[in-house]
Short mmCIF file of all heavy atoms in Angstrom, two decimals:
data_model
loop_
_atom_site.label_atom_id
_atom_site.label_comp_id
_atom_site.label_asym_id
_atom_site.label_seq_id
_atom_site.Cartn_x
_atom_site.Cartn_y
_atom_site.Cartn_z
N PRO B 50 -23.12 3.85 -7.97
CA PRO B 50 -21.84 4.17 -8.61
C PRO B 50 -21.62 3.44 -9.92
O PRO B 50 -20.90 3.93 -10.80
CB PRO B 50 -20.80 3.75 -7.57
CG PRO B 50 -21.51 3.88 -6.27
CD PRO B 50 -22.94 3.49 -6.55
N TYR B 51 -22.25 2.29 -10.09
CA TYR B 51 -22.01 1.50 -11.29
C TYR B 51 -22.64 2.13 -12.53
O TYR B 51 -22.41 1.67 -13.64
CB TYR B 51 -22.50 0.06 -11.09
CG TYR B 51 -21.60 -0.70 -10.15
CD1 TYR B 51 -21.84 -0.70 -8.79
CD2 TYR B 51 -20.49 -1.38 -10.64
CE1 TYR B 51 -20.99 -1.38 -7.92
CE2 TYR B 51 -19.64 -2.06 -9.78
CZ TYR B 51 -19.90 -2.06 -8.43
OH TYR B 51 -19.07 -2.72 -7.58
N ALA B 52 -23.41 3.17 -12.34
CA ALA B 52 -23.92 3.89 -13.49
C ALA B 52 -22.85 4.82 -14.06
O ALA B 52 -22.97 5.29 -15.19
CB ALA B 52 -25.15 4.71 -13.10
N HIS B 53 -21.77 5.04 -13.27
CA HIS B 53 -20.74 5.99 -13.70
C HIS B 53 -19.35 5.38 -13.83
O HIS B 53 -18.50 5.93 -14.52
CB HIS B 53 -20.69 7.16 -12.72
CG HIS B 53 -21.97 7.89 -12.60
ND1 HIS B 53 -22.31 8.93 -13.42
CD2 HIS B 53 -23.03 7.72 -11.77
CE1 HIS B 53 -23.52 9.38 -13.10
NE2 HIS B 53 -23.98 8.66 -12.09
N PHE B 54 -19.13 4.27 -13.13
CA PHE B 54 -17.83 3.62 -13.19
C PHE B 54 -18.03 2.13 -13.40
O PHE B 54 -18.89 1.52 -12.76
CB PHE B 54 -17.06 3.86 -11.88
CG PHE B 54 -16.83 5.32 -11.58
CD1 PHE B 54 -17.68 6.01 -10.74
CD2 PHE B 54 -15.75 6.00 -12.15
CE1 PHE B 54 -17.48 7.36 -10.46
CE2 PHE B 54 -15.54 7.35 -11.88
CZ PHE B 54 -16.40 8.03 -11.03
N ARG B 55 -17.19 1.57 -14.24
CA ARG B 55 -17.31 0.14 -14.53
C ARG B 55 -17.09 -0.69 -13.27
O ARG B 55 -17.80 -1.65 -12.99
CB ARG B 55 -16.30 -0.27 -15.59
CG ARG B 55 -16.36 -1.75 -15.97
CD ARG B 55 -15.07 -2.20 -16.67
NE ARG B 55 -14.77 -1.36 -17.82
CZ ARG B 55 -15.32 -1.52 -19.03
NH1 ARG B 55 -16.18 -2.50 -19.21
NH2 ARG B 55 -15.00 -0.72 -20.02
N ASP B 56 -16.08 -0.31 -12.50
CA ASP B 56 -15.81 -1.02 -11.25
C ASP B 56 -15.01 -0.12 -10.31
O ASP B 56 -14.74 1.05 -10.63
CB ASP B 56 -15.06 -2.33 -11.51
CG ASP B 56 -13.80 -2.10 -12.33
OD1 ASP B 56 -13.34 -0.95 -12.41
OD2 ASP B 56 -13.28 -3.06 -12.90
N LYS B 57 -14.63 -0.66 -9.19
CA LYS B 57 -13.96 0.15 -8.17
C LYS B 57 -12.65 0.74 -8.70
O LYS B 57 -12.31 1.89 -8.44
CB LYS B 57 -13.67 -0.71 -6.93
CG LYS B 57 -13.26 0.11 -5.74
CD LYS B 57 -12.75 -0.76 -4.59
CE LYS B 57 -12.42 0.12 -3.39
NZ LYS B 57 -11.79 -0.63 -2.31
N ARG B 58 -11.92 -0.08 -9.40
CA ARG B 58 -10.64 0.36 -9.95
C ARG B 58 -10.78 1.63 -10.79
O ARG B 58 -9.95 2.54 -10.70
CB ARG B 58 -10.11 -0.77 -10.83
CG ARG B 58 -8.70 -0.62 -11.32
CD ARG B 58 -8.48 -1.62 -12.45
NE ARG B 58 -7.09 -1.82 -12.76
CZ ARG B 58 -6.25 -2.53 -12.02
NH1 ARG B 58 -6.66 -3.09 -10.91
NH2 ARG B 58 -4.98 -2.66 -12.38
N GLU B 59 -11.83 1.66 -11.61
CA GLU B 59 -12.02 2.81 -12.48
C GLU B 59 -12.31 4.06 -11.65
O GLU B 59 -11.83 5.16 -11.96
CB GLU B 59 -13.18 2.54 -13.45
CG GLU B 59 -13.14 3.43 -14.68
CD GLU B 59 -14.24 3.08 -15.66
OE1 GLU B 59 -14.22 1.97 -16.21
OE2 GLU B 59 -15.15 3.92 -15.86
N LEU B 60 -13.07 3.89 -10.59
CA LEU B 60 -13.35 5.02 -9.70
C LEU B 60 -12.05 5.49 -9.04
O LEU B 60 -11.76 6.70 -8.99
CB LEU B 60 -14.36 4.60 -8.64
CG LEU B 60 -15.02 5.71 -7.84
CD1 LEU B 60 -16.31 5.20 -7.21
CD2 LEU B 60 -14.12 6.25 -6.74
N LEU B 61 -11.27 4.55 -8.57
CA LEU B 61 -10.01 4.92 -7.91
C LEU B 61 -9.09 5.67 -8.86
O LEU B 61 -8.36 6.58 -8.47
CB LEU B 61 -9.30 3.69 -7.36
CG LEU B 61 -9.97 3.04 -6.14
CD1 LEU B 61 -9.12 1.89 -5.63
CD2 LEU B 61 -10.21 4.06 -5.04
N ARG B 62 -9.12 5.27 -10.11
CA ARG B 62 -8.28 5.95 -11.08
C ARG B 62 -8.73 7.41 -11.23
O ARG B 62 -7.89 8.32 -11.34
CB ARG B 62 -8.32 5.23 -12.42
CG ARG B 62 -6.95 5.23 -13.10
CD ARG B 62 -6.96 4.49 -14.41
NE ARG B 62 -6.88 3.04 -14.27
CZ ARG B 62 -5.73 2.36 -14.14
NH1 ARG B 62 -4.58 3.01 -14.11
NH2 ARG B 62 -5.73 1.06 -14.04
N ALA B 63 -10.03 7.62 -11.22
CA ALA B 63 -10.53 8.99 -11.31
C ALA B 63 -10.08 9.80 -10.09
O ALA B 63 -9.69 10.97 -10.20
CB ALA B 63 -12.05 8.99 -11.41
N VAL B 64 -10.11 9.17 -8.93
CA VAL B 64 -9.67 9.85 -7.71
C VAL B 64 -8.18 10.18 -7.81
O VAL B 64 -7.73 11.29 -7.48
CB VAL B 64 -9.93 8.98 -6.46
CG1 VAL B 64 -9.36 9.62 -5.21
CG2 VAL B 64 -11.41 8.71 -6.31
N SER B 65 -7.42 9.20 -8.28
CA SER B 65 -5.98 9.40 -8.45
C SER B 65 -5.70 10.55 -9.42
O SER B 65 -4.83 11.40 -9.17
CB SER B 65 -5.35 8.10 -8.94
OG SER B 65 -4.08 8.34 -9.49
N ASP B 66 -6.44 10.59 -10.51
CA ASP B 66 -6.26 11.67 -11.48
C ASP B 66 -6.52 13.03 -10.84
O ASP B 66 -5.77 13.98 -11.05
CB ASP B 66 -7.18 11.47 -12.68
CG ASP B 66 -6.73 10.33 -13.58
OD1 ASP B 66 -5.63 9.79 -13.31
OD2 ASP B 66 -7.46 9.96 -14.51
N ALA B 67 -7.59 13.10 -10.05
CA ALA B 67 -7.89 14.35 -9.35
C ALA B 67 -6.74 14.71 -8.41
O ALA B 67 -6.37 15.88 -8.27
CB ALA B 67 -9.19 14.21 -8.56
N GLY B 68 -6.15 13.69 -7.79
CA GLY B 68 -5.01 13.92 -6.91
C GLY B 68 -3.83 14.50 -7.66
O GLY B 68 -3.17 15.44 -7.18
N PHE B 69 -3.55 13.97 -8.84
CA PHE B 69 -2.42 14.49 -9.61
C PHE B 69 -2.65 15.93 -10.05
O PHE B 69 -1.71 16.73 -10.12
CB PHE B 69 -2.11 13.59 -10.81
CG PHE B 69 -1.24 12.43 -10.46
CD1 PHE B 69 -1.72 11.13 -10.48
CD2 PHE B 69 0.08 12.63 -10.05
CE1 PHE B 69 -0.91 10.06 -10.14
CE2 PHE B 69 0.90 11.56 -9.70
CZ PHE B 69 0.39 10.27 -9.74
N ALA B 70 -3.89 16.25 -10.32
CA ALA B 70 -4.20 17.65 -10.66
C ALA B 70 -3.89 18.55 -9.46
O ALA B 70 -3.31 19.63 -9.61
CB ALA B 70 -5.67 17.78 -11.06
N ARG B 71 -4.27 18.11 -8.29
CA ARG B 71 -3.98 18.89 -7.08
C ARG B 71 -2.48 18.99 -6.83
O ARG B 71 -1.97 20.01 -6.40
CB ARG B 71 -4.64 18.25 -5.87
CG ARG B 71 -6.16 18.35 -5.90
CD ARG B 71 -6.75 17.91 -4.57
NE ARG B 71 -8.20 18.06 -4.59
CZ ARG B 71 -8.96 18.01 -3.50
NH1 ARG B 71 -8.40 17.80 -2.32
NH2 ARG B 71 -10.26 18.18 -3.58
N LEU B 72 -1.78 17.88 -7.08
CA LEU B 72 -0.33 17.89 -6.88
C LEU B 72 0.32 18.93 -7.79
O LEU B 72 1.18 19.71 -7.35
CB LEU B 72 0.25 16.51 -7.18
CG LEU B 72 1.77 16.41 -7.22
CD1 LEU B 72 2.38 16.84 -5.89
CD2 LEU B 72 2.22 15.00 -7.57
N ALA B 73 -0.10 18.94 -9.05
CA ALA B 73 0.46 19.92 -9.98
C ALA B 73 0.22 21.32 -9.45
O ALA B 73 1.10 22.20 -9.53
CB ALA B 73 -0.16 19.74 -11.37
N GLY B 74 -0.96 21.54 -8.86
CA GLY B 74 -1.26 22.84 -8.27
C GLY B 74 -0.32 23.16 -7.13
O GLY B 74 0.16 24.30 -7.01
N ALA B 75 -0.03 22.15 -6.31
CA ALA B 75 0.85 22.38 -5.15
C ALA B 75 2.28 22.64 -5.57
O ALA B 75 3.06 23.27 -4.84
CB ALA B 75 0.79 21.18 -4.22
N MET B 76 2.64 22.17 -6.76
CA MET B 76 4.01 22.37 -7.22
C MET B 76 4.19 23.69 -7.97
O MET B 76 5.31 24.17 -8.14
CB MET B 76 4.41 21.22 -8.16
CG MET B 76 4.60 19.90 -7.45
SD MET B 76 4.73 18.55 -8.64
CE MET B 76 6.35 18.88 -9.33
N ALA B 77 3.09 24.23 -8.42
CA ALA B 77 3.19 25.47 -9.20
C ALA B 77 3.64 26.61 -8.30
O ALA B 77 3.24 26.70 -7.15
CB ALA B 77 1.84 25.78 -9.82
N GLU B 78 4.48 27.44 -8.86
CA GLU B 78 5.02 28.57 -8.09
C GLU B 78 4.08 29.77 -8.27
O GLU B 78 3.85 30.21 -9.39
CB GLU B 78 6.41 28.92 -8.61
CG GLU B 78 6.94 30.22 -8.14
CD GLU B 78 6.95 30.29 -6.63
OE1 GLU B 78 7.61 29.45 -6.00
OE2 GLU B 78 6.29 31.19 -6.08
N PRO B 79 3.51 30.24 -7.17
CA PRO B 79 2.55 31.35 -7.28
C PRO B 79 3.21 32.66 -7.74
O PRO B 79 2.55 33.53 -8.27
CB PRO B 79 2.02 31.48 -5.86
CG PRO B 79 3.06 30.87 -4.98
CD PRO B 79 3.69 29.80 -5.80
N ASP B 80 4.53 32.73 -7.55
CA ASP B 80 5.20 33.98 -7.89
C ASP B 80 6.14 33.78 -9.07
O ASP B 80 7.27 33.35 -8.91
CB ASP B 80 6.00 34.48 -6.67
CG ASP B 80 6.74 35.76 -6.98
OD1 ASP B 80 6.55 36.31 -8.08
OD2 ASP B 80 7.51 36.21 -6.11
N PRO B 81 5.68 34.09 -10.27
CA PRO B 81 6.48 33.82 -11.47
C PRO B 81 7.71 34.72 -11.59
O PRO B 81 8.56 34.48 -12.43
CB PRO B 81 5.50 34.10 -12.62
CG PRO B 81 4.44 34.98 -12.03
CD PRO B 81 4.40 34.75 -10.57
N SER B 82 7.78 35.75 -10.73
CA SER B 82 8.93 36.63 -10.81
C SER B 82 10.07 36.15 -9.92
O SER B 82 11.13 36.78 -9.85
CB SER B 82 8.53 38.06 -10.41
OG SER B 82 8.29 38.10 -9.02
N ALA B 83 9.83 35.04 -9.20
CA ALA B 83 10.89 34.50 -8.33
C ALA B 83 12.06 34.01 -9.17
O ALA B 83 11.91 33.76 -10.37
CB ALA B 83 10.33 33.36 -7.48
N SER B 84 13.20 33.86 -8.55
CA SER B 84 14.38 33.40 -9.27
C SER B 84 14.18 31.95 -9.70
O SER B 84 13.36 31.23 -9.13
CB SER B 84 15.60 33.49 -8.36
OG SER B 84 15.54 32.48 -7.37
N SER B 85 14.93 31.54 -10.70
CA SER B 85 14.77 30.18 -11.19
C SER B 85 15.18 29.17 -10.12
O SER B 85 14.68 28.06 -10.07
CB SER B 85 15.58 29.98 -12.46
OG SER B 85 16.96 30.06 -12.17
N ARG B 86 16.10 29.59 -9.25
CA ARG B 86 16.48 28.71 -8.15
C ARG B 86 15.31 28.52 -7.20
O ARG B 86 14.98 27.40 -6.81
CB ARG B 86 17.68 29.30 -7.40
CG ARG B 86 18.20 28.36 -6.32
CD ARG B 86 19.32 29.01 -5.50
NE ARG B 86 20.29 28.05 -5.03
CZ ARG B 86 20.26 27.49 -3.83
NH1 ARG B 86 19.30 27.78 -2.99
NH2 ARG B 86 21.18 26.61 -3.47
N ASP B 87 14.68 29.61 -6.82
CA ASP B 87 13.54 29.52 -5.91
C ASP B 87 12.40 28.72 -6.52
O ASP B 87 11.75 27.93 -5.85
CB ASP B 87 13.04 30.93 -5.55
CG ASP B 87 13.82 31.51 -4.39
OD1 ASP B 87 14.68 30.78 -3.84
OD2 ASP B 87 13.56 32.67 -4.03
N ARG B 88 12.18 28.95 -7.79
CA ARG B 88 11.09 28.22 -8.44
C ARG B 88 11.40 26.73 -8.47
O ARG B 88 10.51 25.90 -8.25
CB ARG B 88 10.87 28.75 -9.85
CG ARG B 88 10.44 30.24 -9.85
CD ARG B 88 10.36 30.81 -11.25
NE ARG B 88 9.16 30.46 -11.95
CZ ARG B 88 9.11 29.92 -13.16
NH1 ARG B 88 10.22 29.69 -13.81
NH2 ARG B 88 7.98 29.61 -13.71
N PHE B 89 12.64 26.40 -8.70
CA PHE B 89 13.05 24.99 -8.69
C PHE B 89 12.87 24.40 -7.29
O PHE B 89 12.26 23.33 -7.11
CB PHE B 89 14.51 24.89 -9.14
CG PHE B 89 15.06 23.50 -9.13
CD1 PHE B 89 14.40 22.45 -9.76
CD2 PHE B 89 16.28 23.22 -8.49
CE1 PHE B 89 14.92 21.17 -9.75
CE2 PHE B 89 16.80 21.94 -8.48
CZ PHE B 89 16.12 20.91 -9.11
N LEU B 90 13.37 25.12 -6.30
CA LEU B 90 13.28 24.63 -4.92
C LEU B 90 11.83 24.44 -4.50
O LEU B 90 11.46 23.42 -3.91
CB LEU B 90 13.97 25.61 -3.97
CG LEU B 90 15.49 25.64 -4.03
CD1 LEU B 90 16.05 26.61 -3.01
CD2 LEU B 90 16.06 24.24 -3.78
N ARG B 91 11.01 25.44 -4.81
CA ARG B 91 9.62 25.35 -4.34
C ARG B 91 8.83 24.27 -5.06
O ARG B 91 7.85 23.77 -4.55
CB ARG B 91 8.94 26.70 -4.52
CG ARG B 91 9.61 27.74 -3.66
CD ARG B 91 8.70 28.82 -3.21
NE ARG B 91 9.48 30.02 -2.91
CZ ARG B 91 8.97 31.21 -2.65
NH1 ARG B 91 7.66 31.35 -2.66
NH2 ARG B 91 9.74 32.23 -2.39
N THR B 92 9.25 23.95 -6.27
CA THR B 92 8.59 22.85 -6.97
C THR B 92 8.80 21.56 -6.18
O THR B 92 7.86 20.82 -5.92
CB THR B 92 9.16 22.70 -8.38
OG1 THR B 92 8.99 23.94 -9.07
CG2 THR B 92 8.44 21.60 -9.14
N GLY B 93 10.04 21.31 -5.82
CA GLY B 93 10.36 20.11 -5.04
C GLY B 93 9.71 20.13 -3.67
O GLY B 93 9.15 19.13 -3.21
N ARG B 94 9.78 21.27 -3.03
CA ARG B 94 9.21 21.37 -1.69
C ARG B 94 7.69 21.24 -1.74
O ARG B 94 7.08 20.67 -0.84
CB ARG B 94 9.61 22.70 -1.06
CG ARG B 94 11.09 22.72 -0.70
CD ARG B 94 11.57 24.10 -0.28
NE ARG B 94 13.02 24.08 -0.05
CZ ARG B 94 13.76 25.16 0.12
NH1 ARG B 94 13.21 26.36 0.08
NH2 ARG B 94 15.06 25.04 0.34
N GLY B 95 7.09 21.77 -2.78
CA GLY B 95 5.64 21.63 -2.93
C GLY B 95 5.24 20.17 -3.09
O GLY B 95 4.22 19.74 -2.55
N TYR B 96 6.07 19.44 -3.82
CA TYR B 96 5.82 18.02 -4.02
C TYR B 96 5.79 17.30 -2.67
O TYR B 96 4.85 16.57 -2.35
CB TYR B 96 6.93 17.46 -4.90
CG TYR B 96 6.75 16.05 -5.41
CD1 TYR B 96 6.23 15.82 -6.67
CD2 TYR B 96 7.13 14.96 -4.64
CE1 TYR B 96 6.10 14.53 -7.16
CE2 TYR B 96 6.99 13.67 -5.12
CZ TYR B 96 6.47 13.45 -6.38
OH TYR B 96 6.34 12.18 -6.85
N VAL B 97 6.83 17.52 -1.89
CA VAL B 97 6.92 16.85 -0.58
C VAL B 97 5.81 17.32 0.34
O VAL B 97 5.17 16.52 1.03
CB VAL B 97 8.29 17.11 0.06
CG1 VAL B 97 8.36 16.43 1.42
CG2 VAL B 97 9.41 16.61 -0.83
N ALA B 98 5.55 18.62 0.34
CA ALA B 98 4.52 19.17 1.23
C ALA B 98 3.15 18.58 0.88
O ALA B 98 2.36 18.26 1.77
CB ALA B 98 4.48 20.69 1.12
N PHE B 99 2.89 18.42 -0.41
CA PHE B 99 1.62 17.83 -0.81
C PHE B 99 1.48 16.41 -0.28
O PHE B 99 0.43 16.03 0.24
CB PHE B 99 1.51 17.81 -2.34
CG PHE B 99 0.29 17.10 -2.84
CD1 PHE B 99 -0.92 17.76 -2.95
CD2 PHE B 99 0.34 15.75 -3.18
CE1 PHE B 99 -2.06 17.11 -3.39
CE2 PHE B 99 -0.79 15.08 -3.63
CZ PHE B 99 -1.99 15.76 -3.73
#
Side-chain angles (χ1 to χ4, degrees):
Chain B
Y51 288 90
H53 301 273
F54 301 96
R55 180 198 305 278
D56 54 18
K57 192 189 183 186
R58 189 195 195 75
E59 200 177 295
L60 194 160
L61 289 185
R62 218 178 280 275
V64 175
S65 163
D66 287 353
F69 275 112
R71 292 189 177 194
L72 171 59
M76 289 168 71
E78 167 56 60
D80 179 5
S82 71
S84 73
S85 67
R86 185 185 212 265
D87 275 357
R88 297 174 79 232
F89 178 52
L90 288 182
R91 297 209 204 171
T92 303
R94 289 171 185 169
Y96 189 97
V97 179
F99 174 85

